[in-house]
Structure formats: C-alpha cells, structure tokens
Amino acid sequence: MLLLDAAVSGTPVSHEVELSLWDLCLKGGPLMIVLAVLSLISIYIFIERAIVINRANREDATFMKRIRDYIHEGEIESAFNLCKKNGSPYSRLIAKGISRIGRPVNDILAAVENTGNIEIANLSKGLPWLATTAAGAPMLGFLGTVIGMVQAFYAIAAEGNSANIATFSSGIYTALVTTVAGLVVGVIALFGYNYLVARINSVMNMLESKSMEFMDLLNEPAN
C-alpha cells in the first residue's frame, strides 16, 4: 500500500542494492588477483615461520646444567650427544663449541658465533617476502587507483555530454577497491613481519646468553 501511494504521489522509491564481498573484489579488476596471491603467500610464510620460531624459542631449563656436568666430568661425547638429541638452535650452537674443545678460546668463540649467525639466518627465511609485501601491496593498490581513475575519465570523455554516474562507476570501483585491498594486505604483512622480527630477536638474545654461559663454563675449574 505504501509503495502504491508513493507511486501515485510521484515520490521516488528507493531500492536497496546489496553488494557481496566477492562482487566487490571483482570490481577491483585484475590487480585484485595479484593482491590475493600476495596475501595468501604472506599468510603461509607467517604461519610457517611463527611455528618454527616458537619452537626455536623453547628452552630446556636443565640443558646447560647437564652440559656443565658432562664437560667437568670429561664426558665430551655425552655432552655432544645431548646437544644432538635436544635439536634446538642453541643446542647446535653449543655442539659446535664442544666440537672445538681443545683449541684456543678465540677459535671456539668464533665457531659458536658463526653458528649463531647461521641459525638466525635460517630463522629469518621468508621475512624479506613479508617486508616486500608490506611495502609493495599498498603501491599496487595505488596503481589500481590510478588505472581506475584513468578508466573513469576516459569513459567520461568518450561519452561526452551524455556521461552520467554509471559511465565511470566501474573505474571508481577499481580505484577504491584496489586501494583498500592493497592497504589491508600491506598492513597485515607489516604486522606479521614486525611480530616475527621481535620473536627472532628473542631467540637471538637466548643464543647470546647460551654462548656466553658456555664460554664461562669452559673457564670454570672442575670440581
């Protein structure tokens, strides 16, 4: 009845237009595929690296005490086997130091530090991709914005005086949707990158602590 009254009185009837997220993504054009691929790869790298780094950050509270006891008792082979059994980055670092026992202290320290650098480099795999995505995704979004605006103004010029909002709406969709998508992907990659860097720094501090503790126990007198 209300619609009939509106039609009789000449009052315009509003029609609610629903636009799903999928339809909105399709409006963004081909660049949305690139951004989607970047986001999927970044999410995979983040999850995979987070699992690896969290495992590396686990610490056995009794490990160094057992290493100290083995070394003071002269059971070098048992200490080395304990490191292999532990399988953590700091255990591989200590194992390298144990394998150099008998050489000058500076040689042992250099071997331990080199092993620590290798462990940190292994944990950092994939992080350059996250950093690149964090910087590049917004730029791709802005590129989509420029392309969309060019399409919009080209459509206006082609239509001339008959141009209306429908003429360049698709270009505006491309401009706005790609910008939003690029910023979303970039922000997610940036937060993921910073989180992983913070976790790696925590592992690095633990490796430095373990290496100094190992060097100190080499200079301790046996009981």
Side-chain angles (χ1 to χ4, degrees):
M1 188 67 181
L2 292 175
L3 292 176
L4 180 60
D5 293 341
V8 172
S9 62
T11 304
V13 180
S14 61
H15 297 279
E16 184 177 353
V17 179
E18 294 184 359
L19 190 64
S20 67
L21 180 61
W22 175 252
D23 293 332
L24 195 61
C25 292
L26 291 179
K27 295 288 187 180
L31 278 178
M32 293 295 291
I33 299 176
V34 179
L35 291 172
V37 172
L38 288 177
S39 65
L40 291 176
I41 296 176
S42 298
I43 291 172
Y44 170 78
I45 291 175
F46 172 78
I47 295 175
E48 188 270 338
R49 286 292 92 189
I51 294 174
V52 171
I53 293 170
N54 286 335
R55 287 176 179 173
N57 210 19
R58 295 175 183 174
E59 184 176 1
D60 183 357
T62 65
F63 176 78
M64 289 305 299
K65 181 180 183 301
R66 296 169 67 186
I67 291 294
R68 177 181 289 104
D69 292 340
Y70 281 139
I71 291 178
H72 286 174
E73 293 170 4
E75 299 181 10
I76 305 302
E77 187 67 25
S78 298
F80 190 80
N81 290 334
L82 176 62
C83 293
K84 291 177 62 178
K85 182 179 179 180
N86 185 278
S88 63
Y90 65 81
S91 68
R92 289 190 286 271
L93 183 145
I94 300 301
K96 178 61 69 173
I98 292 174
S99 67
R100 296 294 190 272
I101 288 180
R103 298 187 181 183
V105 175
N106 289 336
D107 291 349
I108 299 176
L109 181 60
V112 169
E113 289 179 347
N114 290 336
T115 303
N117 292 334
I118 293 173
E119 292 294 335
I120 295 300
N122 290 334
L123 293 177
S124 300
K125 290 179 180 178
L127 265 65
W129 176 273
L130 289 179
T132 302
T133 301
M139 299 302 294
L140 288 175
F142 294 146
L143 176 61
T145 299
V146 174
I147 293 174
M149 296 305 296
V150 169
Q151 292 174 344
F153 284 110
Y154 179 81
I156 294 174
E159 293 292 334
N161 294 331
S162 62
N164 52 39
I165 188 65
T167 303
F168 57 94
S169 61
S170 61
I172 298 299
Y173 267 121
T174 301
L176 298 180
V177 171
T178 55
T179 300
V180 173
L183 290 174
V184 169
V185 174
V187 167
I188 292 174
L190 179 61
F191 277 93
Y193 173 81
N194 287 334
Y195 171 80
L196 294 179
V197 168
R199 298 296 294 170
I200 290 176
N201 287 338
S202 177
V203 176
M204 187 184 304
N205 292 335
M206 182 176 64
L207 292 181
E208 291 178 353
S209 174
K210 295 296 183 183
S211 63
M212 291 299 99
E213 188 175 354
F214 175 73
M215 296 306 298
D216 288 341
L217 76 85
L218 292 181
N219 295 320
E220 290 178 358
N223 295 330

